[in-house]
Amino acid sequence: MFSTAIGLSRQVVKYTMSNTMKQAIKPTACLMPLKAKTGRMFIHQRHLPKLPVPPLQQTLYRYLLSVKPLLSDFDFDTTKKLVDDFGRPGGIGEKLQMGLIERSKKLDNWLSQWWLDHAYLNFREPVIIHSSPAVIFPQQSYTDLDGQLKFAASVVAGILDFKVMVDK
């Protein structure tokens, strides 16, 4: 297998070097989503609803909720005034919202390319910590479905305990 990979790598290098740059394989092409999605994973993709654009006022409200614990009262009041101005009828927020709605009409997912670009390709911090948080558990030895369910229930209980601590 290793010799096959080396042979393939040599062929790619040889092909790339023997052709002009316009004909060479672009490395960014590997990062772009595939146009033709096949296999079981995407079998129902065309039947799924498009990603909705959330209403502007909902987005602004949720933004204020998310920054409130991080700001002093003075800074929050200043932020709220800026958000209110941004979201006023006929304001820049409304114009940008219309742009998102137009984008959503043209694409299956209006956010995916921006997410790919900004969360992964242009972001210069460790991706695992900042963009793709995950939890890794020690290996478990389940003998039956009951063991899996008990472990899953204990994980959910632990997460809820943590949420209660954060909310207090």
Side-chain angles (χ1 to χ4, degrees):
M1 183 169 161
F2 183 70
S3 61
T4 305
I6 291 175
L8 181 60
S9 297
R10 286 183 181 151
Q11 288 175 341
V12 170
V13 169
K14 192 175 180 182
Y15 171 82
T16 304
M17 294 179 77
S18 67
N19 291 290
T20 63
M21 288 307 291
K22 288 182 182 180
Q23 294 171 330
I25 298 171
K26 295 181 182 178
T28 54
C30 300
L31 302 172
M32 301 304 292
L34 297 174
K35 297 293 181 205
K37 296 175 180 165
T38 59
R40 286 185 59 196
M41 183 172 169
F42 297 107
I43 197 166
H44 298 290
Q45 190 74 23
R46 68 175 189 263
H47 302 293
L48 295 174
K50 287 182 158 193
L51 179 69
V53 177
L56 177 61
Q57 293 307 315
Q58 176 189 7
T59 302
L60 298 178
Y61 173 75
R62 292 183 72 178
Y63 171 72
L64 288 173
L65 283 178
S66 71
V67 298
K68 186 165 181 53
L70 306 173
L71 302 174
S72 67
D73 289 341
F74 175 79
D75 288 341
F76 180 75
D77 291 340
T78 302
T79 301
K80 185 164 180 358
K81 288 175 187 169
L82 291 169
V83 167
D84 289 343
D85 185 50
F86 181 86
R88 69 179 163 74
I92 190 165
E94 195 173 89
K95 291 175 184 164
L96 292 171
Q97 181 76 4
M98 293 309 298
L100 287 178
I101 291 169
E102 288 302 313
R103 180 178 171 89
S104 75
K105 291 176 183 175
K106 297 174 188 170
L107 301 170
D108 287 339
N109 186 325
W110 60 271
L111 182 60
S112 63
Q113 188 61 48
W114 288 338
W115 181 254
L116 176 67
D117 290 344
H118 295 288
Y120 294 99
L121 302 179
N122 297 333
F123 193 62
R124 302 315 325 156
E125 297 293 326
V127 174
I128 297 299
I129 296 169
H130 297 284
S131 294
S132 302
V135 177
I136 299 173
F137 297 102
Q139 186 173 1
Q140 304 294 314
S141 297
Y142 305 112
T143 55
D144 59 2
L145 181 61
D146 236 21
Q148 291 178 5
L149 293 174
K150 286 178 183 175
F151 185 77
S154 68
V155 170
V156 171
I159 291 168
L160 292 174
D161 289 344
F162 180 75
K163 182 179 182 334
V164 168
M165 289 185 336
V166 169
D167 288 347
K168 284 185 177 180

